Each structure stands twice: as structure tokens, then as C-alpha cells.
């Protein structure tokens, strides 16, 4: 399709085809599914590594696991930024400016880890 409205006609046909596929899939699901699905005993119980669940379904998780995961992700993602810096640092004309920028970046990282250390966030109790 060419012309001014050709792109919109192609987009419209694509949207119409996707809508038709969506309606067909859900209609086939409604027609082919069982009218009354079977509910065998134990179908909705929690399955954990082949062991029968013991106790209540609520367990309290300590926040320090999340703090360690958050700190790891934070510093791992920021460490990834060191690699592009090393590539740019090698180019001519980027010497002192990139060193100062990376010094500021590493200083912010160091302040973050120092803060976490001072607040005893990194101490496992």
C-alpha cells in the first residue's frame, strides 16, 4: 500500500488481524475447556520440592535479606558503568575530564558503602 494513508491502512490491518486472533483464541478456549473442571484432593495445596507443606502458609522473612540483595544490585549495576568509562578514557582528548568524572562517581559509591558500614547494615546478626 502506498500513498499518504498507506502506512495507516497497514497498521489498521495489523491491529484488526491481532484483534481477530485474540478473539479466536479466547473463543476456542471457552469452547474446548471442560464445563466443570475436576477438583482432586490436594490440587490447590502448596507444592515445595516434593515435600508436604507443614505449618501455616505465612512466614516472616527478615528484611536484611532484601537489604543485601538491594546493595548487591546497586553496586553491581554501578560497577558496570566502569567498563564504558575505560573505553572512553582510552580515546584522545578525554583524559583529565573523564578522570575527574570517574573520581566523583567512585566517591559517591564510597560514601554509600561507608554509610552502610557506619549504620551496621552490612553486619550479619
Amino acid at each position: 500500500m502506498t500513498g499518504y494513508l498507506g502506512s495507516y491502512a497497514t497498521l489498521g490491518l495489523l491491529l484488526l488481524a491481532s484483534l481477530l486472533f485474540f478473539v479466536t483464541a479466547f473463543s476456542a478456549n471457552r469452547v474446548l475447556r471442560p464445563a466443570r473442571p475436576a477438583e482432586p484432593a490436594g490440587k490447590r495445596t502448596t507444592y515445595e520440592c516434593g515435600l508436604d507443606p507443614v505449618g501455616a502458609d505465612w512466614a516472616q522473612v527478615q528484611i536484611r535479606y532484601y537489604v543485601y540483595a538491594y546493595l548487591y544490585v546497586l553496586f553491581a549495576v554501578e560497577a558496570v558503568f566502569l567498563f564504558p568509562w575505560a573505553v572512553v578514557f582510552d580515546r584522545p582528548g578525554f583524559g583529565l575530564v573523564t578522570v575527574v568524572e570517574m573520581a566523583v562517581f567512585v566517591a559517591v559509591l564510597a560514601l554509600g558503602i561507608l554509610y552502610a558500614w557506619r549504620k551496621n547494615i552490612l553486619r550479619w546478626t
Side-chain angles (χ1 to χ4, degrees):
M1 298 186 172
T2 60
Y4 180 71
L5 297 177
S7 304
Y8 293 111
T10 305
L11 179 64
L13 288 175
L14 182 64
L15 289 175
L16 184 66
S18 63
L19 182 67
L20 183 65
F21 179 76
F22 178 78
V23 169
T24 303
F26 273 88
S27 299
N29 182 26
R30 183 168 293 263
V31 168
L32 297 176
R33 72 176 182 188
R36 295 179 57 99
E39 285 287 336
K43 180 176 182 178
R44 296 187 185 266
T45 60
T46 306
Y47 180 75
E48 182 83 24
C49 302
L51 300 174
D52 292 330
V54 178
D57 59 349
W58 185 81
Q60 187 174 2
V61 178
Q62 295 184 4
I63 191 67
R64 66 176 160 224
Y65 299 120
Y66 298 109
V67 171
Y68 274 97
Y70 178 71
L71 286 174
Y72 171 75
V73 168
L74 179 72
F75 288 107
V77 167
E78 290 184 356
V80 167
F81 287 120
L82 294 173
F83 294 109
W85 172 78
V87 172
V88 170
F89 182 69
D90 191 33
R91 295 182 183 163
F94 286 98
L96 184 61
V97 175
T98 54
V99 169
V100 170
E101 287 176 355
M102 191 48 61
V104 169
F105 181 75
V106 171
V108 169
L109 279 178
L111 284 174
I113 195 97
L114 182 66
Y115 176 79
W117 195 344
R118 287 289 190 127
K119 292 289 186 175
N120 288 329
I121 294 173
L122 301 177
R123 182 169 305 197
W124 192 266
T125 56

